[in-house]
Amino acid sequence: MKRSRAFKQRATLIVLLLGATLVALNALAFRVDAGIDLTPNYRHSVSDDVTALFKRFNTPMRVEYYVSASLPPAFAGLEREVVRRLSAIADGAGADAFAFEPSRDVVRLDDSAKTIETLKSLKIPPVALPSGAETVYFYSALKITHAAAREPVVIPRILSAASMQYDLISKALRLSMLKVQPATPDDTFRGLRSGVRFVYVYGDMNGDEMPSAKIHVRDGVWAELERIQQLNPAYISVSKELAGKSRFTPRLKRVQDITSGESGSAPESIIYFSSVVAIGQFGEESSFDQIKNTEGLATLLAGGAWALGAAREKVGFFTPSQRPELSEPEQKVLYSPRYGNSMPEDRATSISLALDYITTGVMIDFDHTIPQGLGVLVLVRPGALNPRQLYEIRAFLARGGHVLLIGGEWHTPLIDRYFGINPASTSLADVWLPNQSGPSFTLRAQRMKETMSGLLKDYGVETEAGILLSQRQSVPYRVYGPGQTTPGQLYPDPIRQNGVLGIVPYATPTGHLLTSDVNKLPLRGASPLKLDETRLKTLGLSAQVLFKAPGDAELLRPLHDTGRITLNYRATTMSPLDVLAPKRDNDTGVELVSAPDAIVGVLIEGQFPFDPNEPPPTLPDGRIPYSPGMGSAFTPKPGKLVVISSPDLFEVTDVRGWRQGEPPLVGGSDQLEESSRRRLLANVLDAFIFGEELVRVRGSTTPVPHRLDEWTLDEIRLWCGLVLGLAPAAVLVAGGIVFLRRRKRHVQATI
Amino acid sequence: MISVLRRELLAFFTSAAGYVLMAVFPVAMGLLALFVFPAVLERGASWFHTKELTMRSFFLAFPWVAAAVMPAIAMRSWAEEYRGNTFQLLLTLPAPSWRLVAGKYLASVAVLCLMLLTTGVFPVMIAANGGWEGGPIFGGYLGCLLLGSGYLAIGMFASSLTSNQLGAYMAALLACGTLTALGSFAGLAGSSGALSSMVRFMAAGDHFNLLAAGYLKLETVTFFISMAAFFLMLTALGVEGRRYR
């Protein structure tokens, strides 16, 4: 008994000691937070480039970090992971540029003031939707802003704690934040852009049947909406002003007044924005009754327009004053609103540019020349230029001018007959077909008379069907839905894999958009641009191709990960991915020229050919040109030519001819378009013309490698057989042998 | 210790149940990884449809399978000795209890290693299709080993408490299942506070996931080693305690 008691005491002591030691060890390990990133390219670590980037900032950054009160189980470690990531960045950047206090739920950091302001901890419970069947979750948002950014930029990838978490996070943060009832828009919905859209509008203009009015949009949710807006600026915008409002009533009332021209009763509407669920679930049986009335739609549209208009005020766009490194001539962007043919879009583009740059109208129709000392000439959809104008452009380029040619009409929407939705003008990432087995349909793109294609060809840029299209000559182009072009060869879109996003059916004049040579990736916004390498080489010009940015980055990431292209961050803006790729990269074997469908833009640099003694052509009206040519006054200098062949290149109607006689589909929402255009323009100008520094992102940004083509049935059978059958068979055979031997031994022993 | 280890291995591999268990394990893992988990995660798709060339689903499945299988391996370690009255014989061996425990435990870990080996076709399949990522796969298997070892220790402890194998199995299953599922229910404990931190710390599944993602953290390794050490110590004490009964 005594021994037993002594043992019990000793055992208790040992257990306590061991327990305490282990707890201490674990606490220490937890505190040290040391780890080895085993992934190729150090996926879970902050890249040197990013850290260096933060170090270069001479103004402080602000970090806001939100986590909802009740995270779903899969996100249990999210908060800590976010903190770890931020701490890693902070360590890399140094306290001068970035500071982070990890012990707070929500922090705001402001180095300039040398203070760390701790905000009230944000706890956002799930919000029940009116039906009670769905739950709105707000998971988390990490917003990093910097003065150099055009707008607050979220770096969601920082959140990727682990590969498996990444998928969950991206799905949750980017796509599934709001779980809403499946909804199908009816015809009245076609005015909205696709992608991020108003998913759930519970609107009753009289406010009598508004259970959802009780739902408050909380700050954190709002932050998340902002983040989505940043990812999809073309579709959605939100205003922080709304963050404190529990209802939209006052604003919507105002919007309604503007829209309808009469002041009625204040509508009470709850608007949920989502990039998401609607995308995955459109096409299924559902209803969108709430917005079937035109009033509701008008409110919806106007609400979006208003929200974006308000958001513009808070967005810190680049202005020349924030660009001290640029000399005065470089800041000056010339814009030609009457270049060849007059279009209302030109005016809009001009206004848009004027917001960011010093712009000047150039009327070379009348002046017959491009003034000296100007930085960039922007040509927006320059119809049929006469020989004299082309001559001026050639001379301008040859004397070091920068030309930005936007080859499409900015306002032109694409419509598909399933949803009547318009794509973005800066990114096509969010246009999709919900029914993958549905029939393909026909869009009509029409060519427009133009003369730039000839000049571009001379510079080594081939445009196949021409750089411009118009409504005049209707040419049908077959557009394919996902899986309809070359079944089994489409590249897996990681987002689509999650069942949320589909693939975009965009037309190209060659009609094979979805059969891009690059891994069969259904790149969107494809254009007929091709580079004539021989010609470029002959002229001594270099070329760089441009993909759509930023939304297509998601689709392009698999290519990036497989080393086919290179994604770059904009160093000074940290805007979402600009997707740039060298024309040919010997290191990575990139040969993007072989994938013309993927190219939506090209930058040609170098000394453009021009004979200074070439006499200028006669003016169209037969008058003798006032200038006999450049002669000895001409000083050759390397120039830049950027050609953007956007999806807006196409003037499109659907099979029902919706386009004809209709007002602009995003009627009343000019800001939506403008924001979109402005962003693309500014990005292109800054990156290509002004040569903003690019930061190369580490090779592998996706968490998972993918197989590029579909598994064949034979392969599936083979590998299933091997995985499920090989080892068990081997084990059973081994077991059988052992038993047989034992039995034999047993028999021998018996004998 | 070596002789105990050898004896345990021999006992395992001369029983039909051992082979059946070893044959069932890769099948279960394969089915879960190729069909069940992708279907849950990817809305109805199989692993092949996702086109992901990773072992994500495999490693997601492992903690659950381990929670069921590891107790089965460990359940007989002591309960069988008690039941068959061979325990007293064991005690007569000129070795302290902890050596007996270590021997049995190492034998179980060896079985675990062999079981993991039977799933080797999966990474081969990935490599053959160009998706080899050594880090995450290595991390994942290391995680399997650590998690499995921890669960084996729990199973062994449960086995040391009773002569009823089924009872030991159920107790260990409950404990391992709880540790695996803990991460999923961590939200119930709130997002901050001591309880929440504790719950999240104890979530073996979450620790494992980090390893499976290719991030080898000191904290994770420490956690699993601590878990194994703690339960092995408890087992040793339990066994030692029987000497005094």
Side-chain angles (χ1 to χ4, degrees), chain B residues 52-70:
Chain B
E52 271 187 20
L53 291 173
T54 69
M55 295 186 69
R56 193 166 68 109
S57 55
F58 178 90
F59 291 133
L60 281 174
F62 181 79
W64 299 99
V65 176
V69 172
M70 297 305 120

Side-chain angles (χ1 to χ4, degrees), chain B residues 1 46 136 189 200 218 225 232 245:
Chain B
M1 187 168 73
S46 74
R200 282 179 182 141
L218 176 65
I225 292 176
L232 285 178
R245 287 187 186 176

Side-chain angles (χ1 to χ4, degrees), chain A residues 225-547:
Chain A
L225 296 182
E226 279 189 321
R227 196 191 62 76
I228 292 175
Q229 184 262 323
Q230 288 147 22
L231 290 172
N232 306 273
Y235 311 115
I236 187 173
S237 187
V238 295
S239 167
K240 197 70 180 174
E241 289 175 40
L242 289 177
K245 312 279 183 190
S246 60
R247 298 180 181 189
F248 295 93
T249 306
R251 290 298 181 187
L252 287 181
K253 179 177 186 299
R254 179 183 134 190
V255 166
Q256 188 194 26
D257 291 345
I258 294 169
T259 309
S260 63
E262 58 187 43
S263 57
S265 62
E268 285 190 335
S269 300
I270 296 299
I271 300 175
Y272 283 106
F273 301 85
S274 172
S275 58
V276 194
V277 183
I279 289 172
Q281 295 177 342
F282 266 58
E284 296 172 6
E285 271 190 35
S286 57
S287 65
F288 213 78
D289 295 335
Q290 293 92 335
I291 62 159
K292 274 190 173 173
N293 62 78
T294 52
E295 276 184 321
L297 179 65
T299 305
L300 181 65
L301 287 171
W306 170 82
L308 192 116
R312 193 202 310 161
E313 295 169 9
K314 74 177 176 57
V315 170
F317 278 86
F318 247 132
T319 66
S321 63
Q322 287 176 280
R323 203 194 300 279
E325 71 275 14
L326 296 178
S327 60
E328 180 62 23
E330 289 288 336
Q331 291 182 23
K332 190 165 280 189
V333 176
L334 270 128
Y335 168 72
S336 169
R338 293 284 182 272
Y339 215 50
N341 54 348
S342 171
M343 293 185 186
E345 293 79 20
D346 295 351
R347 171 77 180 143
T349 308
S350 172
I351 293 169
S352 176
L353 276 172
L355 295 171
D356 292 330
Y357 305 92
I358 299 170
T359 61
T360 307
V362 177
M363 309 285 182
I364 62 173
D365 280 35
F366 306 104
D367 299 339
H368 310 301
T369 186
I370 299 171
Q372 295 278 352
L374 300 173
V376 182
L377 174 68
V378 179
L379 301 169
V380 180
R381 206 185 180 206
L385 301 180
N386 64 46
R388 168 67 197 206
Q389 291 165 334
L390 290 172
Y391 171 89
E392 288 294 340
I393 292 170
R394 283 166 47 219
F396 179 66
L397 279 169
R399 62 175 195 253
H402 300 162
V403 172
L404 169 58
L405 168 61
I406 298 164
E409 179 192 27
W410 291 95
H411 271 287
T412 304
L414 285 175
I415 310 164
D416 72 60
R417 69 187 173 100
Y418 291 107
F419 308 109
I421 50 176
N422 305 327
S425 57
T426 56
S427 170
L428 303 172
D430 300 297
V431 184
W432 38 274
L433 269 181
N435 182 4
Q436 297 183 15
S437 60
S440 62
F441 55 93
T442 302
L443 299 178
R444 288 177 183 275
Q446 293 98 19
R447 294 175 190 171
M448 188 176 112
K449 189 179 178 189
E450 52 89 19
T451 53
M452 276 302 289
S453 294
L455 179 60
L456 293 177
K457 189 173 182 181
D458 199 41
Y459 290 147
V461 182
E462 293 184 11
T463 54
E464 292 187 4
I467 192 68
L468 296 178
L469 298 173
S470 83
Q471 219 167 336
R472 310 268 158 66
Q473 303 161 354
S474 178
V475 182
Y477 296 113
R478 184 172 175 79
V479 179
Y480 299 90
Q484 293 176 326
T485 40
T486 45
Q489 291 189 42
L490 288 177
Y491 192 86
D493 177 348
I495 303 174
R496 183 169 63 94
Q497 289 290 314
N498 289 335
V500 184
L501 205 60
I503 301 231
V504 178
Y506 264 80
T508 72
T510 50
H512 56 280
L513 167 67
L514 297 182
T515 57
S516 163
D517 288 338
V518 181
N519 292 343
K520 308 301 177 191
L521 181 72
L523 293 170
R524 286 81 58 86
S527 74
L529 285 182
K530 267 186 182 175
L531 293 181
D532 181 346
E533 287 179 272
T534 312
R535 178 67 183 158
L536 286 166
K537 202 172 178 181
T538 306
L539 295 176
L541 296 171
S542 65
Q544 210 177 30
V545 294
L546 165 73
F547 290 99

Side-chain angles (χ1 to χ4, degrees), chain A residues 497-727:
Chain A
Q497 289 290 314
N498 289 335
V500 184
L501 205 60
I503 301 231
V504 178
Y506 264 80
T508 72
T510 50
H512 56 280
L513 167 67
L514 297 182
T515 57
S516 163
D517 288 338
V518 181
N519 292 343
K520 308 301 177 191
L521 181 72
L523 293 170
R524 286 81 58 86
S527 74
L529 285 182
K530 267 186 182 175
L531 293 181
D532 181 346
E533 287 179 272
T534 312
R535 178 67 183 158
L536 286 166
K537 202 172 178 181
T538 306
L539 295 176
L541 296 171
S542 65
Q544 210 177 30
V545 294
L546 165 73
F547 290 99
K548 273 293 178 190
D552 286 344
E554 283 302 321
L555 277 187
L556 292 166
R557 275 175 52 204
L559 292 184
H560 173 68
D561 292 344
T562 52
R564 306 293 295 270
I565 63 169
T566 303
L567 304 183
N568 297 287
Y569 275 109
R570 297 277 296 285
T572 51
T573 63
M574 284 302 289
S575 61
L577 286 173
D578 278 358
V579 187
L580 304 167
K583 188 190 79 173
R584 186 184 296 276
D585 186 331
N586 290 331
D587 294 335
T588 59
V590 172
E591 291 184 2
L592 287 167
V593 169
S594 64
D597 286 350
I599 303 173
V600 295
V602 61
L603 161 68
I604 308 288
E605 279 182 286
Q607 181 58 56
F608 283 83
F610 183 75
D611 179 5
N613 296 314
E614 175 189 339
T618 307
L619 291 174
D621 57 7
R623 286 186 288 126
I624 300 169
Y626 75 95
S627 167
M630 300 291 175
S632 58
F634 181 83
T635 311
K637 203 178 162 187
K640 288 182 181 179
L641 167 65
V642 176
V643 182
I644 301 297
S645 169
S646 76
D648 310 302
L649 190 71
F650 306 107
E651 182 87 30
V652 184
T653 65
D654 74 342
V655 287
R656 292 180 293 185
W658 260 355
R659 179 67 176 156
Q660 294 170 3
E662 278 198 347
L665 288 173
V666 194
S669 300
D670 289 344
Q671 293 94 329
L672 286 170
E673 300 252 346
E674 185 183 325
S675 168
S676 166
R677 265 175 287 145
R678 184 173 162 188
R679 184 186 182 89
L680 178 60
L681 279 173
N683 279 352
V684 167
L685 282 170
D686 292 342
F688 277 161
I689 304 294
F690 295 126
E692 246 182 23
E693 191 177 358
L694 297 169
V695 178
R696 176 166 290 212
V697 176
R698 183 177 288 133
S700 183
T701 53
T702 29
V704 287
H706 283 76
R707 186 181 153 110
L708 300 180
D709 49 354
E710 299 277 1
W711 290 85
T712 63
L713 197 58
D714 288 342
E715 283 176 314
I716 293 175
R717 282 178 182 154
L718 171 70
W719 286 111
C720 270
L722 288 174
V723 169
L724 299 174
L726 186 63

Side-chain angles (χ1 to χ4, degrees), chain B residues 70-93:
Chain B
M70 297 305 120
I73 297 175
M75 68 182 180
R76 59 180 295 280
S77 56
W78 295 104
E80 180 76 3
E81 306 282 3
Y82 299 155
R83 196 176 62 85
N85 294 321
T86 52
F87 180 68
Q88 297 304 324
L89 191 67
L90 261 184
L91 292 182
T92 60
L93 288 175

Side-chain angles (χ1 to χ4, degrees), chain A residues 151-169:
Chain A
E151 52 193 298
V153 170
V154 174
I155 311 176
R157 209 151 290 156
I158 282 179
L159 291 170
S160 59
S163 61
M164 59 198 64
Q165 273 195 354
Y166 177 80
D167 286 346
L168 292 170
I169 290 167

Side-chain angles (χ1 to χ4, degrees), chain A residues 33 36 38 43 73 80 707, chain B residues 129 133 184 214 216-217 219:
Chain A
D33 197 27
I36 303 170
L38 297 171
R43 189 180 301 149
R80 192 169 156 218
R707 186 181 153 110
Chain B
N129 288 282
E133 275 196 334
S184 307
L216 179 59
K217 291 196 78 174
E219 163 199 342

